[in-house]
Structure formats: structure tokens, C-alpha cells
Amino acid sequence: MKVSELNPKRVADYIRVDYDAPETEMPVREDYETEEEYEAALAQWKAENADYLNLMEEVKMLMDAASANIQKRTGRPKEYVEENEDLTYPYLAMVGEMWENRQIRGEKGAYVNDFALGAVDAHAVNLIPGEAESILYGD
């Protein structure tokens, strides 16, 4: 599995976040005759599930932080992190540790187990002279 295949709910389940899932599915545009009916149903669904949505936003924030941390640590672009299956476990470990500790810390080894840190470091090119310059970075 790749990092790009993960969504906040799946990550929340993996890191054992305790949450109440929505009782109903999010409204789908095709089920409503007018845009106004759809917007009203969507607003009501969001209001009823605000706690769940806020929690998923928090998990998404941690997911973004873990990705940025791996990018910084390896010197690799976001696309590399998202498409490399070897980085999925370290990514999940980072998200889990940040959730568990309720903080995002940047000190070396502060929130990632040794295996995950080693797996990330194995992809590092930013410490190899001339190697980082050869990578094409996305926007």
C-alpha cells in the first residue's frame, strides 16, 4: 500500500483513534433534484457530524506533517513519498506517535521508532553531495 492510497479514516483506524462514525452516508448530489436541496442536506449532515469531521481534519493535519517530515528528512519530493511503498509504515508510525503524544516535534528521533527512522533514512538523498540536485521537484 502506498501513502497516496491512505485517507484520514483509514489512518485513524490504524492508529486506533476512538471516534463515532456517522450514522448516515454523506449526501450525494445525484440524489437531489435541486442544488439548494443538496446544499441544505449537506449542511445538515455536516452539522450532525461535526465532531467526526473535526477529528478527521486533525488526522489529516498529522498526515500532512508526517509527509512533510519525511520529505525534509530524505530530501525527496512529495510525489516520491506518496508513491513509495517502503515509506508507508514509517509514515503511519509518525502519524501514530504524533497522535499519541498530542504534539508535533522535530528533534531527531523524538517521535519515530528506530525501524521507521531507519526506513526513512534509507531513502535520503539530501546528504549525498550532488544527489539532491538531480531530483526533479514538483510544484
Side-chain angles (χ1 to χ4, degrees), residues 18-139:
D18 186 28
Y19 63 89
D20 294 324
E23 294 179 16
T24 59
E25 293 290 322
M26 186 162 59
V28 178
R29 173 64 187 102
E30 291 77 31
D31 294 341
Y32 297 89
E33 290 184 23
T34 67
E35 189 67 27
E36 292 78 24
E37 289 176 346
Y38 168 69
E39 291 296 329
L42 183 61
Q44 181 179 350
W45 185 88
K46 286 181 178 181
E48 291 170 355
N49 297 290
D51 291 341
Y52 171 79
L53 293 172
N54 289 337
L55 188 63
M56 291 302 124
E57 279 297 316
E58 188 174 346
V59 171
K60 177 71 171 114
M61 177 192 68
L62 297 177
M63 292 169 65
D64 292 343
S67 179
N69 186 290
I70 293 172
Q71 291 170 53
K72 180 179 176 185
R73 189 165 189 90
T74 63
R76 301 283 189 165
K78 183 177 183 177
E79 295 78 19
Y80 182 90
V81 173
E82 290 182 350
E83 296 303 318
N84 196 307
E85 292 182 0
D86 293 349
L87 294 172
T88 303
Y89 174 75
Y91 172 86
L92 290 169
M94 285 183 186
V95 174
E97 290 292 328
M98 287 187 282
W99 177 262
E100 187 77 21
N101 295 327
R102 299 294 195 269
Q103 57 188 338
I104 299 173
R105 295 181 283 172
E107 305 94 56
K108 184 175 182 178
Y111 60 89
V112 181
N113 65 44
D114 289 336
F115 174 79
L117 197 56
V120 169
D121 288 345
H123 291 270
V125 295
N126 54 352
L127 301 178
I128 302 171
E131 188 67 24
E133 291 80 18
S134 68
I135 298 174
L136 296 175
Y137 289 91
D139 293 343

